[in-house]
Amino acid sequence: MGARGSHSAVPPDADSIRRETGFSQASLLRLYHRFQALDRDNKGYLSRMDLQQIGALAVNPLGDRIIESFFPDGNHQVDFAGFARVLAHFRPVDEEDPGMQDPKQPEPLNSRMNKLRFAFQLYDLDRDGKISRNEMLQVLRLMVGVQVTEEQLESIADRTVQEADIDGDGAVSFMEFTKSLEKMNIEQKMSIRILK
Amino acid sequence: MFLLLPFDSLIVNLLGISLTVLFTLLLVFIIVPAIFGVSFGIRKVYMKTLLKIFAWATLRMERGAKEKNHQLYKPYTNGIIAKDPTSLEEEIKEIRRSGSSKALDNTPEFELSDIFYFCRKGMETIMDDEVTKRFSAEELESWNLLSRTNYNFQYISLRLTVLWGLGVLIRYCFLLPLRIALAFTGISLLVVGTTLVGYLPNGRFKEFLSKHVHLMCYRICVRALTAIITYHDRKNRPRNGGICVANHTSPIDVIILASDGYYAMVGQVHGGLMGVIQRAMVKACPHVWFERSEVKDRHLVAKRLTEHVQDKSKLPILIFPEGTCINNTSVMMFKKGSFEIGATVYPVAIKYDPQFGDAFWNSSKYGMVTYLLRMMTSWAIVCSVWYLPPMTREKDEDAVQFANRVKSAIARQGGLVDLLWDGGLKREKVKDTFKEEQQKLYSKMIVGNHEDRSRS
């Protein structure tokens, strides 16, 4: 009787995902439809290849790193809960957020600290809590491609690590990273607003 | 079973009479007008009635949703996130400005915060990008009583369900057999007609007959789909020796255009039923069919097309330069092959109204038979066709620029989004060369600082 529409009504575990991420029901529904649109073979999860198919992401110099952030701990699949969890980092900060007011609740995913942690792990490849000079170099190389010589890039990396490194261990820890960005309006720059 | 015996002959008679009546009606109301190209206007009345019913249905659903204090899910075709159209440079400068207490100067340098720009842009594309949504059917704002387009199942009242059930009955038990009968008639007439015409000696009479056989059969097929087409600017219709290009949404595009004009088709030789039709058609008039092996050879293709176009007595060629079916909300990159030939290009814009039945062929989801079945069980296929004024390549334009110019004209007329992306992205990944452009832009912002510092 006519093929069922490709959109299921409600995502599975909608309530627990809503509590964890803080998305409204309407936003979650839109994200779920997006998840289903990306999941071309209707597997119920996304693989790296599904995300690599997005043309505009493939031309982003940090595209591969961003895709990696969806697959923590060596996973090769991400289900809708994991998808929403990563995207929750970019939810705009809302002053009336119940999570912000209650100190006993776990920190909401879109807090300033968590947004900074997300950006930090794009630099920190081996997840050791520090951005070494090498890791800085690797990220720089991704962002400039072949346009800049090795020496220029090395000196930029050296200078950046030097400026941010407070305790002199030759690497940038998360605390030092936060300190160097303390004046930045992270809440606004790392937020994506979903239309109602 | 014995009780049925006396009624047996009655039932048979009834069946016979109703079939005869049906066929007479078919002949009078559909086939004869198709031959002469006139219309009774039945389809337009049908369309108006349907619109009224759809509006009523959506109102009921909204009322149902309000009772439960929910919002109806309304799909957004323009994207689900708020975006600022700023460039890479402006964004990164703004990020640096907001984080830096130093006086703002324009020397190039690198900041840890630059990563935020790429990170956010990347996430935005994961949430919503221009291309992925072009390869699935367009979402409707109001429901059209087909279960395939409904996202708000929980708000359907009893009355609506009954209406929907009635719709299913009408579409599957009345419209579908009627349409299949018409399609069968149309295709067999085409094959038989063109084969017969093929036996005639070449000349004016053969051309005249061939044209009318083609037109008649395409018109019957148009009625087989209940396609309600509005043609605009018919004075710009393609002429001999030209190339007609149009945006591609489904195989039905061919039927829609060919029922209003006499074209030479271009395509690959298929097997099966398509192959039979192709072989019959080429007997009556010179279409351009390529073997599978020849399609790969671009020079051969270009040569044959050029030869055809240069012969002014030959018909205009019909080509779809996108190379694949797009969902009719946008126009994607035109392949430059047809624009290198040097003939006059007659652009045509086709825009479907998805309200009555979505014509988009999602070839990764549905095969041809399933697709045709879906088409024949929709309410109708409603579309508008605009014939745009002819264009030729200018002296200082290359084929790609010309192709883009034609594409923009078609997009503008049809109200479609003009995209530079390649329709091939449906199946393949994007090339790395595009990444280099982003990298170049960013490098300009951070390089140069080193040279200043090495001097100080």
Short mmCIF file of all heavy atoms in Angstrom, two decimals, chain A residues 2-3 5-7 30 33-34 40 56 58-60 70 90 119 123 142-143 147-148 155 160 183-184 186 189 193 195-196, chain B residues 73-74 76 80 82 94-95 98 112 116 118 120 122 125-127 129 139 151 172 365 426 430 434-435 439-440 443 447 450:
data_model
loop_
_atom_site.label_atom_id
_atom_site.label_comp_id
_atom_site.label_asym_id
_atom_site.label_seq_id
_atom_site.Cartn_x
_atom_site.Cartn_y
_atom_site.Cartn_z
N GLY A 2 1.49 1.55 -1.05
CA GLY A 2 2.34 2.74 -1.13
C GLY A 2 3.47 2.67 -0.11
O GLY A 2 3.19 2.47 1.04
N ALA A 3 4.67 2.83 -0.51
CA ALA A 3 5.80 2.67 0.42
C ALA A 3 5.67 3.62 1.58
O ALA A 3 5.26 4.76 1.42
CB ALA A 3 7.09 2.93 -0.32
N GLY A 5 6.57 6.34 4.22
CA GLY A 5 7.48 7.48 4.12
C GLY A 5 8.80 7.14 4.78
O GLY A 5 8.86 6.35 5.70
N SER A 6 9.87 7.75 4.27
CA SER A 6 11.18 7.37 4.78
C SER A 6 11.43 7.94 6.18
O SER A 6 12.44 7.68 6.77
CB SER A 6 12.26 7.85 3.84
OG SER A 6 12.21 9.25 3.78
N HIS A 7 10.53 8.73 6.71
CA HIS A 7 10.79 9.33 8.01
C HIS A 7 9.99 8.64 9.08
O HIS A 7 8.77 8.64 9.04
CB HIS A 7 10.40 10.80 8.00
CG HIS A 7 11.21 11.58 7.02
ND1 HIS A 7 12.54 11.81 7.20
CD2 HIS A 7 10.87 12.17 5.87
CE1 HIS A 7 12.98 12.52 6.18
NE2 HIS A 7 12.00 12.76 5.36
N ARG A 30 14.24 17.23 14.04
CA ARG A 30 14.93 17.66 12.82
C ARG A 30 16.27 16.98 12.68
O ARG A 30 16.66 16.56 11.59
CB ARG A 30 15.14 19.17 12.83
CG ARG A 30 13.85 19.92 12.73
CD ARG A 30 14.04 21.32 12.17
NE ARG A 30 12.78 22.02 12.24
CZ ARG A 30 11.79 21.83 11.38
NH1 ARG A 30 11.94 20.99 10.39
NH2 ARG A 30 10.66 22.47 11.52
N HIS A 33 15.76 13.42 11.47
CA HIS A 33 15.52 13.34 10.03
C HIS A 33 16.80 13.52 9.25
O HIS A 33 17.03 12.87 8.22
CB HIS A 33 14.49 14.38 9.60
CG HIS A 33 13.10 14.00 10.01
ND1 HIS A 33 12.00 14.74 9.70
CD2 HIS A 33 12.64 12.95 10.70
CE1 HIS A 33 10.92 14.15 10.20
NE2 HIS A 33 11.29 13.07 10.81
N ARG A 34 17.68 14.40 9.76
CA ARG A 34 18.96 14.61 9.11
C ARG A 34 19.80 13.34 9.20
O ARG A 34 20.43 12.92 8.23
CB ARG A 34 19.70 15.78 9.78
CG ARG A 34 21.10 16.01 9.27
CD ARG A 34 21.10 16.47 7.85
NE ARG A 34 22.45 16.77 7.41
CZ ARG A 34 22.78 16.99 6.14
NH1 ARG A 34 21.86 16.94 5.22
NH2 ARG A 34 24.02 17.27 5.82
N ARG A 40 22.24 6.55 4.23
CA ARG A 40 21.62 6.26 2.95
C ARG A 40 21.12 4.82 2.84
O ARG A 40 20.17 4.55 2.14
CB ARG A 40 22.61 6.50 1.82
CG ARG A 40 22.91 7.96 1.66
CD ARG A 40 23.87 8.21 0.57
NE ARG A 40 24.39 9.56 0.66
CZ ARG A 40 24.86 10.24 -0.38
NH1 ARG A 40 24.89 9.69 -1.54
NH2 ARG A 40 25.32 11.46 -0.22
N ALA A 56 30.42 19.38 1.14
CA ALA A 56 30.92 20.58 1.79
C ALA A 56 31.84 20.24 2.97
O ALA A 56 32.66 21.05 3.37
CB ALA A 56 29.76 21.44 2.27
N ALA A 58 33.89 17.52 2.90
CA ALA A 58 35.12 17.01 2.32
C ALA A 58 36.06 18.14 1.91
O ALA A 58 37.27 17.95 1.83
CB ALA A 58 34.80 16.13 1.12
N VAL A 59 35.52 19.34 1.63
CA VAL A 59 36.42 20.43 1.25
C VAL A 59 36.88 21.23 2.47
O VAL A 59 37.67 22.16 2.34
CB VAL A 59 35.77 21.40 0.23
CG1 VAL A 59 35.28 20.64 -0.95
CG2 VAL A 59 34.68 22.22 0.85
N ASN A 60 36.38 20.89 3.65
CA ASN A 60 36.84 21.54 4.86
C ASN A 60 38.19 20.94 5.23
O ASN A 60 38.31 19.73 5.37
CB ASN A 60 35.81 21.29 5.97
CG ASN A 60 36.09 22.09 7.22
OD1 ASN A 60 37.24 22.17 7.67
ND2 ASN A 60 35.06 22.67 7.78
N PHE A 70 33.27 12.00 15.91
CA PHE A 70 32.03 11.25 16.09
C PHE A 70 32.30 9.80 16.47
O PHE A 70 31.38 9.07 16.83
CB PHE A 70 31.20 11.27 14.81
CG PHE A 70 30.46 12.55 14.59
CD1 PHE A 70 31.04 13.59 13.90
CD2 PHE A 70 29.18 12.73 15.09
CE1 PHE A 70 30.37 14.78 13.71
CE2 PHE A 70 28.50 13.91 14.90
CZ PHE A 70 29.09 14.94 14.21
N PHE A 90 27.34 21.97 20.32
CA PHE A 90 27.19 23.22 19.59
C PHE A 90 25.84 23.87 19.83
O PHE A 90 25.46 24.79 19.12
CB PHE A 90 27.39 22.96 18.09
CG PHE A 90 28.81 22.63 17.77
CD1 PHE A 90 29.28 21.35 17.96
CD2 PHE A 90 29.67 23.61 17.34
CE1 PHE A 90 30.60 21.05 17.71
CE2 PHE A 90 31.00 23.31 17.09
CZ PHE A 90 31.46 22.04 17.26
N ALA A 119 37.07 21.51 21.12
CA ALA A 119 38.06 22.12 20.22
C ALA A 119 39.45 21.58 20.55
O ALA A 119 40.26 21.32 19.66
CB ALA A 119 38.02 23.63 20.37
N TYR A 123 42.86 19.25 18.27
CA TYR A 123 44.31 19.41 18.21
C TYR A 123 45.02 18.17 18.76
O TYR A 123 46.01 17.71 18.21
CB TYR A 123 44.75 20.60 19.08
CG TYR A 123 44.60 21.97 18.45
CD1 TYR A 123 43.66 22.86 18.94
CD2 TYR A 123 45.44 22.38 17.42
CE1 TYR A 123 43.54 24.13 18.40
CE2 TYR A 123 45.32 23.65 16.87
CZ TYR A 123 44.37 24.53 17.37
OH TYR A 123 44.26 25.79 16.84
N LEU A 142 47.33 20.49 8.05
CA LEU A 142 46.00 20.20 7.50
C LEU A 142 45.32 21.47 7.01
O LEU A 142 44.69 21.49 5.96
CB LEU A 142 45.10 19.56 8.57
CG LEU A 142 45.26 18.07 8.81
CD1 LEU A 142 44.34 17.67 9.94
CD2 LEU A 142 44.92 17.29 7.57
N MET A 143 45.50 22.55 7.78
CA MET A 143 44.75 23.77 7.46
C MET A 143 45.35 24.52 6.28
O MET A 143 44.63 25.27 5.61
CB MET A 143 44.67 24.68 8.69
CG MET A 143 43.77 24.11 9.76
SD MET A 143 43.17 25.34 10.92
CE MET A 143 44.47 25.31 12.10
N GLN A 147 50.46 25.04 0.76
CA GLN A 147 50.68 26.46 0.45
C GLN A 147 51.81 27.08 1.24
O GLN A 147 52.26 28.18 0.94
CB GLN A 147 49.39 27.25 0.73
CG GLN A 147 48.16 26.67 0.08
CD GLN A 147 48.24 26.71 -1.43
OE1 GLN A 147 48.85 27.60 -2.00
NE2 GLN A 147 47.65 25.73 -2.08
N VAL A 148 52.23 26.42 2.34
CA VAL A 148 53.23 27.04 3.21
C VAL A 148 54.40 26.07 3.38
O VAL A 148 54.20 24.86 3.48
CB VAL A 148 52.59 27.34 4.60
CG1 VAL A 148 53.60 27.91 5.55
CG2 VAL A 148 51.43 28.30 4.42
N SER A 155 58.09 27.35 12.49
CA SER A 155 58.28 28.51 13.37
C SER A 155 56.94 29.00 13.91
O SER A 155 56.86 29.45 15.05
CB SER A 155 59.01 29.63 12.63
OG SER A 155 58.18 30.17 11.65
N THR A 160 53.54 29.53 18.63
CA THR A 160 52.23 29.34 19.28
C THR A 160 52.37 28.56 20.57
O THR A 160 51.79 28.93 21.60
CB THR A 160 51.27 28.58 18.34
OG1 THR A 160 51.40 29.10 17.03
CG2 THR A 160 49.84 28.72 18.82
N LYS A 183 39.44 35.14 27.00
CA LYS A 183 38.62 36.31 26.65
C LYS A 183 37.67 36.02 25.49
O LYS A 183 36.83 36.83 25.16
CB LYS A 183 39.53 37.48 26.26
CG LYS A 183 40.32 37.99 27.42
CD LYS A 183 40.73 39.44 27.17
CE LYS A 183 41.67 39.92 28.27
NZ LYS A 183 42.91 39.13 28.33
N MET A 184 37.85 34.85 24.86
CA MET A 184 37.09 34.57 23.65
C MET A 184 35.63 34.30 23.97
O MET A 184 35.31 33.61 24.93
CB MET A 184 37.69 33.34 22.97
CG MET A 184 36.81 32.79 21.94
SD MET A 184 37.61 32.73 20.38
CE MET A 184 38.91 33.80 20.59
N ILE A 186 33.45 32.11 23.38
CA ILE A 186 33.30 30.74 22.85
C ILE A 186 31.83 30.41 22.64
O ILE A 186 31.45 29.76 21.68
CB ILE A 186 33.88 29.72 23.85
CG1 ILE A 186 35.30 30.10 24.22
CG2 ILE A 186 33.78 28.33 23.31
CD1 ILE A 186 36.30 29.55 23.30
N LYS A 189 30.85 31.68 19.30
CA LYS A 189 31.57 31.21 18.12
C LYS A 189 31.42 29.72 17.89
O LYS A 189 31.65 29.23 16.80
CB LYS A 189 33.07 31.55 18.26
CG LYS A 189 33.35 33.03 18.19
CD LYS A 189 32.89 33.60 16.88
CE LYS A 189 32.74 35.10 16.97
NZ LYS A 189 32.03 35.65 15.81
N ARG A 193 22.58 27.47 15.74
CA ARG A 193 21.18 27.55 16.17
C ARG A 193 20.29 26.79 15.20
O ARG A 193 20.33 27.04 13.99
CB ARG A 193 20.77 29.02 16.23
CG ARG A 193 19.41 29.27 16.85
CD ARG A 193 19.22 30.76 17.11
NE ARG A 193 19.21 31.53 15.89
CZ ARG A 193 18.13 31.72 15.14
NH1 ARG A 193 16.98 31.21 15.50
NH2 ARG A 193 18.20 32.42 14.03
N LEU A 195 16.72 26.11 13.60
CA LEU A 195 15.48 26.88 13.44
C LEU A 195 14.30 26.10 14.01
O LEU A 195 14.23 24.90 13.90
CB LEU A 195 15.23 27.15 11.95
CG LEU A 195 16.33 27.94 11.25
CD1 LEU A 195 16.09 27.92 9.76
CD2 LEU A 195 16.33 29.36 11.76
N LYS A 196 13.37 26.82 14.60
CA LYS A 196 12.21 26.16 15.25
C LYS A 196 11.27 25.58 14.20
O LYS A 196 10.91 26.24 13.27
CB LYS A 196 11.48 27.16 16.12
CG LYS A 196 12.21 27.41 17.41
CD LYS A 196 11.30 27.32 18.60
CE LYS A 196 12.01 27.70 19.88
NZ LYS A 196 13.42 27.40 19.90
N TYR B 73 4.93 18.85 12.55
CA TYR B 73 6.28 18.88 11.98
C TYR B 73 6.19 19.47 10.57
O TYR B 73 5.55 18.93 9.69
CB TYR B 73 6.85 17.46 11.92
CG TYR B 73 8.15 17.39 11.17
CD1 TYR B 73 9.33 17.83 11.75
CD2 TYR B 73 8.20 16.90 9.88
CE1 TYR B 73 10.52 17.78 11.06
CE2 TYR B 73 9.38 16.85 9.18
CZ TYR B 73 10.54 17.29 9.78
OH TYR B 73 11.72 17.24 9.09
N LYS B 74 6.83 20.62 10.39
CA LYS B 74 6.83 21.21 9.05
C LYS B 74 8.24 21.18 8.51
O LYS B 74 9.14 21.76 9.11
CB LYS B 74 6.33 22.67 9.12
CG LYS B 74 4.90 22.78 9.50
CD LYS B 74 4.17 23.78 8.64
CE LYS B 74 2.70 23.46 8.72
NZ LYS B 74 1.80 24.39 8.28
N TYR B 76 11.56 22.10 6.49
CA TYR B 76 12.10 23.35 5.94
C TYR B 76 12.93 23.00 4.72
O TYR B 76 13.90 22.27 4.82
CB TYR B 76 13.03 24.01 6.96
CG TYR B 76 12.30 24.66 8.10
CD1 TYR B 76 12.87 24.69 9.36
CD2 TYR B 76 11.08 25.27 7.93
CE1 TYR B 76 12.23 25.29 10.41
CE2 TYR B 76 10.42 25.87 8.97
CZ TYR B 76 11.00 25.88 10.21
OH TYR B 76 10.37 26.48 11.26
N ILE B 80 17.87 23.67 8.05
CA ILE B 80 17.31 23.67 9.40
C ILE B 80 18.11 24.51 10.36
O ILE B 80 17.76 24.61 11.53
CB ILE B 80 17.22 22.23 9.94
CG1 ILE B 80 18.61 21.62 10.08
CG2 ILE B 80 16.36 21.38 9.04
CD1 ILE B 80 18.59 20.29 10.78
N ALA B 82 20.39 28.23 11.31
CA ALA B 82 20.58 29.63 10.97
C ALA B 82 22.02 29.83 10.53
O ALA B 82 22.94 29.47 11.24
CB ALA B 82 20.29 30.49 12.20
N GLU B 94 37.01 38.13 12.98
CA GLU B 94 36.07 38.40 14.08
C GLU B 94 36.37 37.54 15.29
O GLU B 94 36.29 38.00 16.43
CB GLU B 94 34.65 38.12 13.59
CG GLU B 94 33.77 39.32 13.66
CD GLU B 94 32.37 38.91 14.08
OE1 GLU B 94 32.17 38.69 15.29
OE2 GLU B 94 31.52 38.80 13.18
N ILE B 95 36.71 36.27 15.02
CA ILE B 95 37.03 35.37 16.13
C ILE B 95 38.26 35.89 16.88
O ILE B 95 38.30 35.94 18.10
CB ILE B 95 37.29 33.95 15.61
CG1 ILE B 95 36.00 33.35 15.06
CG2 ILE B 95 37.82 33.07 16.72
CD1 ILE B 95 36.18 31.96 14.51
N SER B 98 37.50 39.00 18.96
CA SER B 98 36.75 38.79 20.20
C SER B 98 37.61 38.18 21.28
O SER B 98 37.30 38.25 22.45
CB SER B 98 35.53 37.90 19.94
OG SER B 98 35.89 36.55 20.01
N LEU B 112 45.38 30.21 18.10
CA LEU B 112 44.78 28.92 18.47
C LEU B 112 43.29 28.92 18.18
O LEU B 112 42.69 27.90 17.92
CB LEU B 112 44.97 28.66 19.97
CG LEU B 112 46.32 28.07 20.39
CD1 LEU B 112 46.40 28.04 21.90
CD2 LEU B 112 46.47 26.69 19.80
N PHE B 116 38.33 27.30 15.52
CA PHE B 116 36.89 27.35 15.76
C PHE B 116 36.11 27.55 14.49
O PHE B 116 35.02 27.04 14.32
CB PHE B 116 36.54 28.48 16.74
CG PHE B 116 36.98 28.21 18.14
CD1 PHE B 116 37.22 29.24 19.02
CD2 PHE B 116 37.16 26.92 18.57
CE1 PHE B 116 37.64 28.99 20.31
CE2 PHE B 116 37.57 26.65 19.86
CZ PHE B 116 37.81 27.70 20.74
N PHE B 118 36.83 26.54 11.36
CA PHE B 118 36.69 25.31 10.57
C PHE B 118 35.81 24.30 11.27
O PHE B 118 35.04 23.57 10.66
CB PHE B 118 38.07 24.69 10.29
CG PHE B 118 38.89 25.53 9.37
CD1 PHE B 118 40.01 26.20 9.83
CD2 PHE B 118 38.56 25.66 8.03
CE1 PHE B 118 40.77 26.98 8.98
CE2 PHE B 118 39.30 26.44 7.18
CZ PHE B 118 40.42 27.10 7.65
N ARG B 120 33.33 24.86 13.40
CA ARG B 120 31.91 25.19 13.32
C ARG B 120 31.37 25.00 11.91
O ARG B 120 30.28 24.46 11.72
CB ARG B 120 31.65 26.61 13.77
CG ARG B 120 30.17 26.79 14.06
CD ARG B 120 29.87 28.17 14.47
NE ARG B 120 29.49 28.94 13.32
CZ ARG B 120 29.44 30.25 13.29
NH1 ARG B 120 29.76 30.94 14.36
NH2 ARG B 120 29.08 30.89 12.20
N GLY B 122 32.40 22.95 9.71
CA GLY B 122 32.26 21.52 9.48
C GLY B 122 31.00 20.98 10.11
O GLY B 122 30.25 20.22 9.50
N THR B 125 27.89 21.82 8.18
CA THR B 125 27.60 20.99 7.01
C THR B 125 27.08 19.62 7.41
O THR B 125 26.33 19.01 6.66
CB THR B 125 28.83 20.79 6.11
OG1 THR B 125 29.81 20.07 6.84
CG2 THR B 125 29.37 22.09 5.62
N ILE B 126 27.50 19.14 8.59
CA ILE B 126 26.98 17.85 9.02
C ILE B 126 25.49 17.97 9.35
O ILE B 126 24.71 17.08 9.09
CB ILE B 126 27.77 17.31 10.23
CG1 ILE B 126 29.16 16.91 9.76
CG2 ILE B 126 27.07 16.11 10.86
CD1 ILE B 126 30.00 16.28 10.82
N MET B 127 25.11 19.14 9.89
CA MET B 127 23.70 19.31 10.24
C MET B 127 22.86 19.60 9.00
O MET B 127 21.69 19.26 8.95
CB MET B 127 23.55 20.47 11.21
CG MET B 127 23.96 20.15 12.59
SD MET B 127 23.70 21.63 13.56
CE MET B 127 23.52 20.94 15.14
N ASP B 129 23.55 20.39 4.64
CA ASP B 129 24.38 20.84 3.51
C ASP B 129 23.52 20.94 2.26
O ASP B 129 22.45 20.36 2.18
CB ASP B 129 25.56 19.89 3.29
CG ASP B 129 25.15 18.63 2.58
OD1 ASP B 129 24.23 17.97 3.08
OD2 ASP B 129 25.74 18.31 1.55
N GLU B 139 10.28 17.67 0.47
CA GLU B 139 9.27 17.47 1.50
C GLU B 139 8.18 18.51 1.35
O GLU B 139 8.43 19.66 1.08
CB GLU B 139 9.93 17.56 2.88
CG GLU B 139 10.99 16.49 3.04
CD GLU B 139 11.59 16.46 4.42
OE1 GLU B 139 11.50 17.46 5.13
OE2 GLU B 139 12.14 15.42 4.77
N TYR B 151 4.38 12.85 7.68
CA TYR B 151 5.29 12.81 8.81
C TYR B 151 4.58 12.97 10.13
O TYR B 151 5.20 13.02 11.17
CB TYR B 151 6.33 13.93 8.71
CG TYR B 151 6.86 14.08 7.33
CD1 TYR B 151 6.59 15.24 6.60
CD2 TYR B 151 7.60 13.09 6.72
CE1 TYR B 151 7.06 15.38 5.32
CE2 TYR B 151 8.06 13.24 5.44
CZ TYR B 151 7.79 14.39 4.74
OH TYR B 151 8.25 14.54 3.48
N TYR B 172 -5.77 3.07 -6.59
CA TYR B 172 -5.29 1.74 -6.97
C TYR B 172 -6.30 0.97 -7.80
O TYR B 172 -5.92 0.15 -8.62
CB TYR B 172 -4.93 0.94 -5.71
CG TYR B 172 -3.56 1.29 -5.20
CD1 TYR B 172 -3.36 2.42 -4.42
CD2 TYR B 172 -2.46 0.53 -5.53
CE1 TYR B 172 -2.10 2.76 -3.97
CE2 TYR B 172 -1.21 0.86 -5.09
CZ TYR B 172 -1.03 1.98 -4.31
OH TYR B 172 0.21 2.32 -3.87
N LYS B 365 17.05 4.27 -4.58
CA LYS B 365 16.02 3.69 -3.71
C LYS B 365 15.03 2.83 -4.49
O LYS B 365 14.57 1.83 -3.99
CB LYS B 365 15.23 4.84 -3.08
CG LYS B 365 15.44 4.97 -1.60
CD LYS B 365 14.61 6.08 -1.06
CE LYS B 365 14.01 5.70 0.27
NZ LYS B 365 13.34 6.81 0.88
N LYS B 426 26.14 12.28 -6.12
CA LYS B 426 25.18 11.30 -5.64
C LYS B 426 25.89 10.00 -5.34
O LYS B 426 25.56 9.29 -4.42
CB LYS B 426 24.18 11.08 -6.78
CG LYS B 426 22.86 10.50 -6.41
CD LYS B 426 22.13 10.17 -7.70
CE LYS B 426 20.66 10.33 -7.61
NZ LYS B 426 20.04 10.20 -8.93
N VAL B 430 33.71 14.04 -3.37
CA VAL B 430 34.14 15.27 -4.05
C VAL B 430 35.66 15.24 -4.23
O VAL B 430 36.38 14.60 -3.48
CB VAL B 430 33.69 16.48 -3.22
CG1 VAL B 430 34.65 16.76 -2.09
CG2 VAL B 430 33.53 17.69 -4.08
N PHE B 434 39.05 20.98 -4.46
CA PHE B 434 38.25 22.04 -3.85
C PHE B 434 38.76 22.39 -2.47
O PHE B 434 38.63 23.52 -2.00
CB PHE B 434 36.78 21.60 -3.75
CG PHE B 434 36.13 21.45 -5.09
CD1 PHE B 434 35.85 20.21 -5.60
CD2 PHE B 434 35.84 22.56 -5.86
CE1 PHE B 434 35.27 20.06 -6.85
CE2 PHE B 434 35.25 22.43 -7.10
CZ PHE B 434 34.97 21.17 -7.59
N LYS B 435 39.37 21.39 -1.80
CA LYS B 435 39.90 21.64 -0.47
C LYS B 435 41.04 22.66 -0.57
O LYS B 435 41.20 23.50 0.30
CB LYS B 435 40.42 20.33 0.11
CG LYS B 435 40.49 20.32 1.62
CD LYS B 435 41.23 19.12 2.14
CE LYS B 435 40.36 17.89 2.19
NZ LYS B 435 40.91 16.86 3.07
N GLN B 439 42.32 26.02 1.67
CA GLN B 439 43.64 26.08 2.28
C GLN B 439 44.40 27.31 1.81
O GLN B 439 45.10 27.96 2.59
CB GLN B 439 44.42 24.80 1.95
CG GLN B 439 43.89 23.59 2.69
CD GLN B 439 44.45 22.29 2.18
OE1 GLN B 439 44.83 22.17 1.02
NE2 GLN B 439 44.52 21.30 3.03
N LYS B 440 44.21 27.64 0.53
CA LYS B 440 44.91 28.83 0.01
C LYS B 440 44.45 30.08 0.75
O LYS B 440 45.24 30.91 1.17
CB LYS B 440 44.59 29.00 -1.50
CG LYS B 440 45.56 28.34 -2.39
CD LYS B 440 45.39 28.82 -3.83
CE LYS B 440 45.86 27.72 -4.75
NZ LYS B 440 45.11 27.52 -5.93
N SER B 443 45.88 30.17 4.23
CA SER B 443 47.33 30.39 4.28
C SER B 443 47.66 31.86 4.16
O SER B 443 48.59 32.35 4.80
CB SER B 443 48.03 29.66 3.13
OG SER B 443 47.62 28.35 3.10
N VAL B 447 50.48 33.35 6.79
CA VAL B 447 51.86 33.42 6.29
C VAL B 447 52.24 34.87 6.06
O VAL B 447 51.42 35.71 5.78
CB VAL B 447 51.96 32.61 4.99
CG1 VAL B 447 53.05 33.17 4.10
CG2 VAL B 447 52.23 31.17 5.30
N HIS B 450 55.84 35.28 9.54
CA HIS B 450 57.16 34.71 9.78
C HIS B 450 58.25 35.59 9.20
O HIS B 450 59.28 35.83 9.81
CB HIS B 450 57.22 33.31 9.15
CG HIS B 450 58.61 32.74 9.14
ND1 HIS B 450 59.23 32.31 10.27
CD2 HIS B 450 59.47 32.55 8.13
CE1 HIS B 450 60.44 31.85 9.96
NE2 HIS B 450 60.61 31.98 8.66
#
